[in-house]
């Protein structure tokens, strides 16, 4: 801890009295809302609270160099910064704390995220991009520690592309010559996460305008920094990343969180490096205090020593700021007292206004429910029980929608044998509130605008007598070549994508033709490869980022699920990142290269389209569809399909494959098999063998798993065959079980089945190496044949006697 031996007495930083007093006003207001917010959690008005007290001066200093067009990729304690740039009112601060679902009150997340998760709107009511260069941009925060770091690399990388790629100059809604800086903020304990280190390394390699701000208060909840960070200092630990003559790397600046001028100077230096030179910067803000502790979940007195608590009291940044203002004649004691009094008054008024508005938003449904329950009490044979339900609801302090709906559902159970007008009233009430609550809590998982890829119409491939049979890799290579020619927003990024054109030659020769900015190699860093794509997609570009093998996606899964997949949902449709993740999987050989982990994707990537083309004409169709829309997608190419021959379409760049529409590969009458990807060829081989012994199989390729069979085409097949098998090469209970649930449960196909449905999957373990390992680990033609035959044996044992 630094002793107060060098109080600030002079400065070369030019600060006007008006600016200094305005900063003090914001600092006081921010501190007051932190205090009141914590009180409201303890009073039961909010579920949880995390606040930015102690970080006011650092964030004010950062706000001074933040310009329109810049981006903040942040940390859930940046309330002072948001207020300083005009991105947050204190009424909105409290509205989010109370989970007000009206986006007019909580414009950041519509009550979906806990407090201190902020973001501005990037699209209009039609889903069209707004002009980001006229906005102070902030990406909606994520609570996962260091989860904001990967995308920060991409937000800054986009500036590099806008500055260096002349073909992007016309995209004036997104950049002015790449002058935009990304400001990433993080707590010191979270710098222990791998995402942070990977982002630091990527930024140093790429040389992008990214300023990392580390708010260092010495603890990660209760765990002190000596357990967190080598040398107990992230700036010292990262000293080897410091730029030197002729090397890349980053600039490292250290400033004390209570020293106003030191902080202002630090951020002015950082911004010059980042904005002018595209050099990344680490600003390590040390000696930060946290007056209220980590959050409302506990008290920091439990784990901080008396000396540390005394330090935090002595070095409170607002206290120091006040002393400095008085010592340097920027304001008088009376002026500061007036500012403090007005800050307290504004904080209380903002809290009261937000609370009243929140309670008023619940009043209509609540009052309707009370009236309906009273009516039921006067009519029902169960009047006493219903009266008790009403009485409990009326006595519930600060009742929320859950309380109201729960009470009404309990009442309707009591009325199940009665046909009275009040029951009809309750049922009507349920029908009326259901769509409203869907909008409040369940909408915008994916795009609901006219720009959605779900609105893209199908365009079938066309062929001529001159169409050549070529390897699948040639199809996708030709497709990407045409795409790079026709759309300057597109770039490809990944391990081995550039110089050698990816490990399966999809981009062979395209770096040489289109340049390194368009087809780019990346280091082995899947998390920030995805982050580069997310950030660039947030800025109007259309990246295609590659995970070299499907198995490697686990490295980036946290970023995909916590950030990308939830982005639209947590911003109520106001932010987007239409990223394409390209990978290859399914049949190969070995534990780490046989990738079909579909269940992990289906369980964690809701909010991203998951597409599984069986060949490369289909893949091209999916790429086109997604690029014509505004949602992210994971496209999994068949690893063993690159050298399988396909016919080259005449309209490769125009093909569009609609999402959620299966294709029937073979008509049949006895049994339906539902599958996708590389399994299609295996199923078709089995179908041919089954046909030889008199079993007619209908084969359906679902083509996309998310969305899945939106028109219930599989149901129509089952109505004809009355039997179904779902087959894939994921683990048991994975992709095949998902397909079964969708068809049997969602489509009610059980009504048409004459035999029990069956799911065929791989073994529970990962595949063993070599051809025999694949054969005995994953479904093969014989596996499918035997399963179908056994089902037909149950139906016609004389025609199909037991084989084994």
């Amino acid at each position: 801890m630094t002793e107060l031996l060098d109080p600030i007495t002079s400065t070369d930083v030019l600060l006007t009295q008006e600016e200094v007093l305005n900063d003090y006003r914001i600092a006081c207001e921010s501190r007051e809302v932190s205090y009141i917010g914590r009180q409201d959690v303890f009073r039961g008005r909010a579920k949880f609270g995390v606040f930015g007290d102690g970080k006011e001066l650092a964030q004010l200093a950062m706000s001074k160099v933040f310009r329109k067009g810049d981006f903040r990729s942040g940390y859930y304690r940046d309330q002072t910064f948001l207020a300083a740039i005009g991105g947050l009112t204190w009424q909105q601060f409290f509205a989010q704390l109370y989970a007000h679902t009206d986006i007019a009150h909580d414009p950041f997340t519509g009550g979906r995220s806990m407090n201190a998760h902020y973001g501005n709107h990037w699209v209009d009511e039609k889903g069209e991009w707004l002009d980001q260069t006229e906005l102070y941009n902030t990406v909606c925060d994520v609570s996962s520690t260091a989860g904001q770091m990967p995308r920060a690399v991409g937000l800054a990388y986009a500036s590099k592309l806008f500055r260096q790629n002349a073909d992007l100059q016309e995209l004036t809604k997104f950049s002015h010559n790449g002058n935009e800086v990304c400001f990433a903020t993080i707590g010191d304990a979270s710098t222990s996460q791998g995402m942070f280190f990977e982002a630091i390394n990527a930024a140093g390699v790429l040389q992008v305008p990214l300023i990392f701000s580390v708010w260092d208060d010495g603890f990660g909840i209760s765990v002190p920094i000596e357990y967190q960070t080598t040398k107990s200092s992230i700036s010292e630990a990262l000293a080897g990343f410091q730029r030197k003559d002729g090397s890349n790397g980053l600039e490292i600046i250290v400033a004390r969180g209570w020293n106003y001028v030191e902080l202002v100077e630090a951020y002015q230096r950082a911004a010059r490096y980042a904005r002018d030179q595209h050099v990344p910067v680490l600003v390590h803000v040390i000696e930060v205090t946290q007056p209220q502790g980590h959050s409302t979940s506990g008290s920091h007195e439990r784990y901080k020593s008396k000396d540390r608590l005394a330090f935090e009291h002595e070095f409170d940044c607002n206290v120091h700021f006040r002393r400095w203002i008085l010592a340097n004649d920027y304001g008088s004691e009376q002026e500061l007292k007036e500012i403090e009094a007005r800050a307290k008054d504004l904080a209380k008024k903002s809290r009261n206004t937000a609370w009243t508005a929140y309670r008023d938003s619940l009043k209509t449904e609540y009052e309707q429910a009370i009236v309906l329950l009273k009516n039921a009490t006067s009519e029902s044979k169960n009047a006493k029980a219903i009266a008790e339900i009403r009485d409990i609801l009326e006595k519930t302090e600060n009742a929320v929608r859950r309380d109201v709906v729960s009470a009404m559902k309990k009442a309707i159970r009591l009325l199940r044998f009665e046909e009275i007008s009040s029951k009809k009233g309750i049922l009507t009430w349920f029908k009326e509130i259901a769509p409203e609550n869907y909008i409040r809590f369940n909408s915008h998982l994916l795009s609901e605008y006219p720009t959605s890829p779900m609105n893209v119409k199908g365009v079938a491939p066309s062929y001529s007598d001159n169409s050549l049979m070529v390897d699948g890799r040639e199809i996708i290579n030709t497709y990407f070549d045409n795409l790079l020619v026709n759309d300057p927003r597109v770039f490809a990024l990944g391990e081995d994508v550039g110089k050698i054109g990816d490990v399966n030659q999809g981009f062979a020769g395209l770096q040489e033709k289109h340049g390194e900015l368009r087809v780019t190699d990346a280091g082995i860093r899947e998390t920030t490869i995805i982050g580069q794509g997310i950030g660039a997609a947030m800025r109007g570009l259309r990246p295609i980022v590659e995970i070299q093998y499907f198995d490697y996606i686990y490295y980036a899964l946290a970023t995909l699920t916590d950030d990308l997949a939830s982005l639209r949902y947590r911003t109520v449709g106001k932010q987007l990142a239409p990223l394409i993740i390209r990978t290859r999987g399914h049949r190969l050989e070995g534990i780490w290269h046989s990738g079909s982990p579909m269940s992990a994707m289906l369980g964690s990537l809701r909010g991203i389209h998951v597409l599984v083309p069986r060949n490369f004409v289909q893949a091209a169709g999916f790429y086109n569809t997604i690029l014509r829309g505004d949602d992210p997608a994971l496209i999994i190419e068949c690893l063993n399909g690159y050298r399988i021959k396909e016919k080259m379409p005449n309209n490769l760049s125009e093909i569009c494959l609609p999402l959620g529409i299966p294709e029937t590969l073979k008509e049949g009458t006895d049994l339906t098999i539902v599958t996708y990807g590389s399994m299609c060829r295996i199923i078709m081989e089995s179908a041919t063998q089954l046909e030889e012994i008199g079993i007619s199989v209908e084969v359906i390729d679902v083509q996309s798993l998310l969305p899945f069979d939106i028109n219930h085409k599989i149901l129509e097949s089952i109505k004809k065959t009355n039997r179904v098998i779902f087959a894939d090469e994921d683990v048991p209970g994975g992709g095949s079980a998902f397909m079964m649930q969708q068809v049997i449960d969602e489509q009610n196909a059980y009504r048409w089945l004459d035999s029990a449905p069956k799911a065929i999957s791989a073994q529970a373990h990962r595949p063993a190496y070599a051809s025999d390992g694949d054969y005995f680990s994953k479904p093969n033609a014989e596996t499918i044949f035997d399963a179908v035959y056994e089902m037909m044996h149950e139906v016609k044992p004389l025609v199909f006697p037991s084989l084994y």
Side-chain angles (χ1 to χ4, degrees):
M1 300 178 189
T2 302
E3 295 182 7
L4 184 55
L5 299 176
D6 53 350
I8 307 163
T9 56
S10 63
T11 176
D12 294 329
V13 177
L14 299 177
L15 294 166
T16 65
Q17 181 182 36
E18 180 183 12
E19 181 180 3
V20 169
L21 293 181
N22 187 57
D23 282 350
Y24 187 65
R25 173 188 64 82
I26 295 170
C28 289
E29 291 172 358
S30 184
R31 182 64 61 88
E32 287 301 322
V33 299
S34 292
Y35 289 155
I36 294 174
R38 184 177 178 87
Q39 293 166 9
D40 272 8
V41 173
F42 292 147
R43 292 174 63 188
R45 286 186 167 187
K47 298 287 286 186
F48 179 77
V50 60
F51 306 104
D53 48 303
K55 300 165 180 66
E56 290 90 350
L57 289 197
Q59 292 180 20
L60 286 165
M62 187 172 80
S63 74
K64 293 180 184 302
V65 294
F66 195 84
R67 303 285 180 259
K68 285 185 177 179
D70 287 347
F71 278 80
R72 166 189 162 272
S73 180
Y75 166 57
Y76 47 70
R77 296 188 190 275
D78 290 349
Q79 68 197 47
T80 309
F81 172 81
L82 265 293
I85 64 169
L88 168 70
T89 69
W90 300 126
Q91 184 176 335
Q92 292 168 344
F93 171 90
F94 285 108
Q96 189 177 60
L97 183 69
Y98 304 142
H100 196 151
T101 56
D102 187 342
I103 199 167
H105 290 267
D106 171 12
F108 317 112
T109 69
R112 295 180 178 188
S113 284
M114 71 178 190
N115 79 300
H117 288 63
Y118 307 117
N120 66 311
H121 296 184
W122 299 341
V123 295
D124 61 20
E125 295 306 312
K126 295 181 180 179
E128 300 292 342
W129 287 103
L130 299 173
D131 188 341
Q132 291 183 341
T133 66
E134 291 299 315
L135 302 172
Y136 294 108
N137 299 291
T138 187
V139 185
C140 191
D141 301 299
V142 291
S143 291
S144 47
T145 52
Q148 69 273 33
M149 291 293 112
R151 68 176 181 226
V153 176
L155 290 164
Y157 182 67
S159 289
K160 177 177 181 176
L161 295 179
F162 281 121
R163 181 170 288 185
Q164 296 186 13
N165 184 354
D167 291 336
L168 298 177
Q169 294 300 309
E170 294 182 1
L171 298 177
T172 55
K173 277 188 174 183
F174 302 100
S175 180
H176 288 158
N177 195 39
N179 290 332
E180 300 77 24
V181 175
C182 177
F183 292 76
T185 64
I186 188 169
D188 62 293
S190 295
T191 64
S192 299
Q193 291 279 12
M195 289 182 185
F196 173 79
F197 281 97
E198 193 169 314
I200 286 284
N201 182 58
V205 169
L206 294 169
Q207 292 295 281
V208 291
L210 175 53
I211 297 175
F212 298 91
S213 294
V214 179
W215 314 138
D216 188 348
D217 59 30
F219 287 84
I221 306 183
S222 67
V223 180
I225 197 166
E226 54 264 31
Y227 288 94
Q228 304 276 5
T229 307
T230 298
K231 301 182 179 181
S232 296
S233 168
I234 193 62
S235 54
E236 291 186 27
L238 294 177
F241 284 84
Q242 172 65 51
R243 278 198 316 161
K244 296 180 181 179
D245 292 340
S247 73
N248 58 15
L250 54 148
E251 289 293 330
I252 299 176
I253 300 171
V254 179
R256 291 166 291 184
W258 48 268
N259 191 315
Y260 179 63
V261 174
E262 193 169 280
L263 290 162
V264 172
E265 288 176 330
Y267 278 101
Q268 287 182 347
R269 286 177 57 204
R272 285 195 294 270
Y273 285 125
R275 199 178 307 279
D276 299 344
Q277 301 177 40
H278 277 198
V279 171
V281 184
L282 173 72
V283 179
H284 183 193
V285 182
I286 62 173
E287 299 182 11
V288 173
T289 65
Q290 200 156 261
Q292 298 188 114
H294 175 266
S295 68
T296 56
S297 62
S299 170
H300 61 161
E301 284 84 358
R302 291 183 302 160
Y303 53 84
K304 290 180 181 175
S305 68
K306 289 182 179 180
D307 287 345
R308 176 68 197 193
L309 291 170
F311 168 83
E312 297 206 359
H313 178 75
E314 175 69 15
F315 282 82
D316 185 308
C317 64
N318 284 13
V319 172
H320 261 276
F321 192 23
R322 192 182 200 281
R323 291 175 189 165
W324 179 83
I325 292 171
L326 293 172
N328 289 275
D329 295 326
Y330 280 103
S332 66
E333 179 72 28
Q334 183 60 33
E335 286 176 307
L336 298 190
K337 285 183 177 180
E338 290 175 359
I339 289 172
E340 291 157 7
R342 288 196 296 270
K344 289 183 178 181
D345 184 59
L346 177 62
K348 290 177 182 177
K349 286 181 178 177
S350 298
R351 186 267 303 274
N352 293 340
T353 302
W355 179 251
T356 299
Y358 169 64
R359 295 309 306 170
D360 286 347
S361 73
L362 304 174
K363 187 178 295 184
T364 299
E365 289 177 30
Y366 175 83
E367 291 178 345
Q368 289 173 344
I370 294 297
V371 170
L372 290 167
L373 290 172
K374 285 182 178 179
N375 293 341
T377 302
S378 65
E379 288 186 304
S380 173
K381 298 175 183 177
N382 294 284
K384 182 178 179 181
I386 294 174
E388 288 177 357
I389 292 170
R390 187 194 71 215
D391 185 57
I392 291 171
L393 181 58
E394 288 180 321
K395 291 179 179 177
T396 300
E397 186 177 3
N398 299 330
V400 294
R401 288 188 173 88
R402 178 192 65 179
D403 301 310
V404 176
V405 172
S406 176
M408 296 294 271
K409 288 195 171 183
K410 289 174 182 175
I412 207 69
R413 295 171 198 165
L414 294 170
L415 297 172
R416 65 190 184 278
F417 296 118
E418 302 182 46
E419 295 301 324
I420 53 179
S421 61
S422 56
K423 177 183 177 180
K424 293 178 182 177
I426 293 174
L427 292 174
T428 299
W429 180 85
F430 274 121
K431 290 179 182 178
E432 290 173 350
I433 68 163
E436 295 174 6
N437 283 331
Y438 173 84
I439 292 170
R440 291 183 183 114
F441 301 107
N442 309 118
S443 64
H444 294 285
L445 178 62
L446 293 157
S447 176
E448 297 183 8
Y449 298 115
T451 48
S452 167
M454 296 300 295
N455 297 325
V456 176
K457 303 299 182 184
V459 177
S462 65
Y463 303 95
S464 65
D465 293 340
N466 297 324
S467 296
L468 299 176
M469 293 294 292
V470 298
D471 287 349
R473 63 184 175 82
E474 296 179 67
I475 298 227
I476 202 65
N477 181 265
T478 302
Y479 170 76
F480 285 139
D481 188 12
N482 294 340
L483 180 61
L484 290 163
V485 169
N486 295 325
D487 193 340
R489 302 172 304 161
V490 172
F491 67 91
L493 169 74
E495 298 161 15
D496 298 304
V497 166
K499 190 173 183 65
I500 69 168
D502 88 42
V503 291
N504 290 95
Q505 300 296 282
F507 283 95
L510 300 189
Q511 184 184 79
E512 184 178 1
K513 180 175 181 179
H514 298 282
E516 288 190 31
L517 290 176
R518 304 295 303 284
V519 184
T520 305
D521 279 316
I524 301 176
R525 49 175 182 83
E526 282 79 10
T527 298
T528 46
I529 287 173
I530 294 296
Q532 264 181 268
I534 292 172
M538 288 173 169
R539 297 190 58 188
L541 300 178
R542 296 309 304 261
I544 299 173
V545 300
E546 181 172 305
I547 299 294
Q548 190 169 86
Y549 292 104
F550 195 10
D551 303 82
Y552 301 171
I553 203 165
Y554 289 114
Y555 286 96
L557 191 56
T559 296
L560 288 169
T561 186
D562 288 342
D563 196 1
L564 181 61
S566 71
L567 179 65
R568 267 201 200 272
Y569 174 77
R570 69 180 191 268
T571 62
V572 200
K574 297 303 182 181
Q575 294 191 351
L576 68 158
L579 171 65
I580 295 177
I581 305 105
R582 178 193 185 218
T583 191
R584 53 191 64 84
H586 313 313
R587 314 301 284 228
L588 188 61
E589 291 167 352
I591 290 171
W592 294 284
H593 299 83
S594 300
S596 295
M598 298 310 307
S599 50
M601 303 304 105
L602 296 168
S604 56
L605 299 188
R606 302 301 172 99
I608 299 175
H609 298 292
V610 177
L611 311 177
V612 283
R614 70 179 180 274
N615 60 40
F616 289 93
V617 172
Q618 277 193 316
F622 276 140
Y623 283 112
N624 280 331
T625 298
I626 295 301
L627 286 165
R628 284 163 174 74
D630 59 355
D631 276 333
L634 169 65
I635 299 179
I636 305 158
E637 297 173 6
C638 290
L639 186 50
N640 60 2
Y642 291 99
R643 296 188 181 278
I644 294 176
K645 300 293 185 183
E646 299 180 44
K647 187 178 288 188
M648 176 72 78
N650 300 324
N651 60 338
L652 190 60
S653 297
E654 287 73 48
I655 299 167
C656 286
L657 198 59
L659 306 185
I661 308 296
E663 179 182 353
T664 300
L665 303 183
K666 177 184 176 299
E667 299 280 351
T669 56
D670 291 326
L671 185 144
T672 300
I673 302 181
V674 182
T675 192
Y676 60 85
S678 293
M679 283 293 293
C680 290
R681 287 189 290 274
I682 292 171
I683 301 296
M684 290 296 287
E685 180 184 347
S686 293
T688 300
Q689 296 172 11
L690 288 162
E691 201 79 39
E692 293 171 355
I693 64 168
I695 299 176
S696 175
V697 172
E698 184 146 300
V699 180
I700 296 178
D701 174 12
V702 302
Q703 302 191 107
S704 74
L705 288 166
L706 295 176
F708 183 88
D709 189 14
I710 59 176
N711 295 328
H712 294 187
K713 184 172 184 177
I714 297 168
L715 174 63
E716 295 307 310
S717 174
I718 292 172
K719 287 180 180 180
K720 177 175 61 173
T721 66
N722 307 118
R723 293 172 188 86
V724 64
I725 288 176
F726 301 91
D728 81 337
E729 49 185 287
D730 194 6
V731 296
S736 57
F738 165 79
M739 293 189 292
M740 179 183 287
Q741 183 269 334
Q742 290 287 300
V743 175
I744 303 302
D745 186 10
E746 295 293 325
Q747 300 183 17
N748 293 322
Y750 66 89
R751 299 177 180 178
W752 305 92
L753 291 177
D754 291 338
S755 299
K758 185 175 182 60
I760 297 176
S761 62
Q763 297 295 318
H765 53 75
R766 294 188 178 200
Y769 178 60
S771 297
D772 277 350
D774 173 78
Y775 184 84
F776 289 101
S777 300
K778 289 192 173 186
N780 51 61
E782 288 73 40
T783 309
I784 304 302
F785 184 100
D786 289 349
V788 173
Y789 189 92
E790 178 63 25
M791 191 174 287
M792 295 306 297
H793 165 68
E794 293 176 1
V795 179
K796 300 178 179 178
L798 297 179
V799 179
F800 304 108
S802 179
L803 293 177
Y804 304 104

